[in-house]
Amino acid sequence: MSASPDADDFLPVPAGPVDESGRIRVGRYAGALDIVRWGYPDGWLAGQFKRALGRKRWFQAGVFDDKRVILVRVIDHGLFGTGIVWVAELDTGRTTLEHRLLGIPLANLVVGPFAGRGADAHVTLPNARLRLGRDPSSTAWHLTAHVPGHALSIELDTRNAPTPVMLVGEPRTGDGVLVQRFVGLEARGTVRVRSEVMPLGPKAQGFLEYGNGFFPRPLAWSTALVAGPPWAFVSDLPTFDVAGQPGSGENTLWDGALPKLLASAHLEGSADTRDPWQVSTSDGALALAFYPRCILTETSGLGSVVSAGSLASQGLGRTMRHAVVAGRFEGTLRTASGVQQVERWGLCEARAFGT
C-alpha cells in the first residue's frame, strides 16, 4: 500500500475499502491498495451469489510508444471472463494485432483481489496465455501475452511515476465499487507481431487500471485519458459521485508527481465513428478536442452461457460493450503554471454493462 497525504484534494489511502463497522469508505484517495476485499457481511454463500449477479474485476494495462498504442485487458465478469490484446498504429490508424478471448471459464482466468504488489492476474488457455503480475518486492508490473503467432513482454515501472489515485464509490447501499489508476509508468520491453520483433522506444509510457466492485445494471459511461506529462483522466460515471461534490468522480490532473482533483466532466462523442469528441471540465481546466485514429470494440454477454428467465431479469442476459478509441487530443489544459496549449495522444472509452 502506498499513499501521499500531501496530494491536493485527495485523502490518504485507507487500510481497505470497508471500515471496521462494515461501512464503505466512499471517497477519492491518493495512493493505491495492494489488496481489495469487501468482506461477507451477509455470509460467504450470499456473497458468492451476489458476486455472480453483479461483481466485476479487471485489469487494463497499456502503453503509448511513439506512434503506437498497446492495450491488454482481462475481465472477470462474475460467471465467466474475457481478455483482449490490441496493438495499433496511431499515425496510420491501422490495427496490427487484435486477439480476443471470449467466454473464458473462471477456472482458466484469474483477476482476484490483489491489486498492487503481489498481483497475479492471468488467462491460461491451450492457445493463449496472458499474465499481469507484480512481485511484492518489485517496483514494476510485468505484462506478458502469448497468442497464436504473436507475443509481448513489457515491464511497467512505478519508480518515477506520479502518485496513483483510488476512487471508492457506493452506487447502491452496501455495494461498493473501486477503481485504481496508475499513469506515467516507464515502459520497457518488446512486441512481436508474427516474425517482426519491435522494442519499445526510450520514451514509451504506460498506464494501468484496476477495477473491483458490484456494478449496477444497466450502466453506461465514458472516460478520457490524456497521455502526459501532464497526465489527465476524466469520467462521467455518475454512480461514483461523492456526496457534496456531484459529478467530479475520479477526474484527475497529475501536475508533477501529485494528483489534483478536477471538476465534473463533459464528454461528447461516438465510439462507432472517427468523428471528433469534445472533452471538457466545468472548471475550465480541460477544453480539448479528440481526433480518433484507431477503434477497438468488445461486446460480450451470457446468451450462450445461461438461459433467459430469472437470471436475465438480473441483467445477466444482457451484453457488456466496451469501446476504446485511440487518438490525439488538441486544446488547452490548465496547470499550476498557467494554461497550456497541448497536443497529446490518448484514449476515449465508452463502456456499458447490461444495456
Side-chain angles (χ1 to χ4, degrees):
M1 179 176 69
S2 60
S4 177
D6 297 325
D8 292 342
D9 303 312
F10 287 83
L11 299 170
V13 70
V18 180
D19 67 17
E20 295 76 9
S21 67
R23 290 179 299 185
I24 295 169
R25 289 179 163 128
V26 174
R28 291 168 291 262
Y29 302 94
L33 289 172
D34 290 325
I35 304 177
V36 178
R37 296 194 185 278
W38 299 103
Y40 298 104
D42 299 320
W44 182 86
L45 186 60
Q48 296 306 300
F49 182 74
K50 182 179 175 182
R51 163 194 160 176
L53 291 182
R55 196 203 66 197
K56 291 185 181 292
R57 295 194 295 213
W58 72 85
F59 276 105
Q60 178 167 288
V63 174
F64 288 106
D65 177 29
D66 298 325
K67 294 181 173 60
R68 180 172 54 196
V69 62
I70 302 160
L71 187 137
V72 176
R73 184 191 309 135
V74 179
I75 305 181
D76 173 349
H77 293 274
L79 289 177
F80 71 106
T82 60
I84 199 160
V85 182
W86 186 50
V87 181
E89 298 174 356
L90 289 164
D91 53 346
T92 66
R94 185 174 72 94
T95 292
T96 55
L97 169 58
E98 183 177 318
H99 191 90
R100 303 166 184 269
L101 303 166
L102 304 177
I104 306 170
L106 295 186
N108 300 97
L109 179 146
V110 172
V111 175
F114 294 92
R117 298 178 189 271
D120 186 10
H122 59 87
V123 174
T124 304
L125 295 170
N127 64 343
R129 298 190 308 278
L130 310 180
R131 184 176 295 273
L132 176 71
R134 184 175 170 190
D135 186 88
S137 62
S138 176
T139 62
W141 302 84
H142 192 200
L143 172 65
T144 58
H146 299 271
V147 297
H150 316 288
L152 60 84
S153 178
I154 296 173
E155 283 195 347
L156 302 170
D157 202 321
T158 65
R159 278 180 296 184
N160 298 314
T163 300
V165 296
M166 179 179 78
L167 175 70
V168 179
E170 190 177 18
R172 293 181 302 209
T173 302
D175 286 351
V177 292
L178 177 147
V179 178
Q180 295 188 160
R181 195 169 305 283
F182 295 78
V183 300
L185 304 171
E186 181 183 347
R188 304 181 294 267
T190 59
V191 176
R192 178 172 63 83
V193 178
R194 292 175 289 277
S195 61
E196 182 182 4
V197 178
M198 300 172 286
L200 298 183
K203 296 183 179 180
Q205 295 189 89
F207 53 93
L208 187 143
E209 173 184 293
Y210 173 80
N212 183 325
F214 301 90
F215 290 81
R217 302 171 187 234
L219 176 66
W221 76 103
S222 298
T223 64
L225 173 68
V226 183
W231 288 77
F233 179 85
V234 294
S235 168
D236 61 9
L237 183 59
T239 58
F240 277 41
D241 294 354
V242 176
Q245 300 186 48
S248 54
E250 56 176 333
N251 300 337
T252 307
L253 172 69
W254 286 267
D255 188 7
L258 298 180
K260 173 71 176 179
L261 184 66
L262 297 176
S264 59
H266 176 72
L267 296 92
E268 184 177 351
S270 170
D272 299 314
T273 72
R274 283 179 165 76
D275 294 335
W277 289 50
Q278 299 298 319
V279 178
S280 61
T281 56
S282 62
D283 59 1
L286 266 71
L288 301 170
F290 175 72
Y291 299 95
R293 297 292 178 86
C294 325
I295 300 176
L296 169 73
T297 59
E298 178 187 357
T299 302
S300 59
L302 287 171
S304 60
V305 181
V306 297
S307 61
S310 61
L311 288 179
S313 70
Q314 298 290 336
L316 292 177
R318 300 169 180 166
T319 61
M320 182 278 293
R321 187 173 190 271
H322 190 161
V324 180
V325 185
R328 193 148 187 95
F329 286 96
E330 297 181 8
T332 58
L333 190 156
R334 188 175 67 225
T335 67
S337 58
V339 176
Q340 300 182 18
Q341 195 75 29
V342 298
E343 293 185 9
R344 299 275 193 273
W345 295 122
L347 300 177
C348 283
E349 301 183 55
R351 317 184 195 201
F353 293 155
T355 57

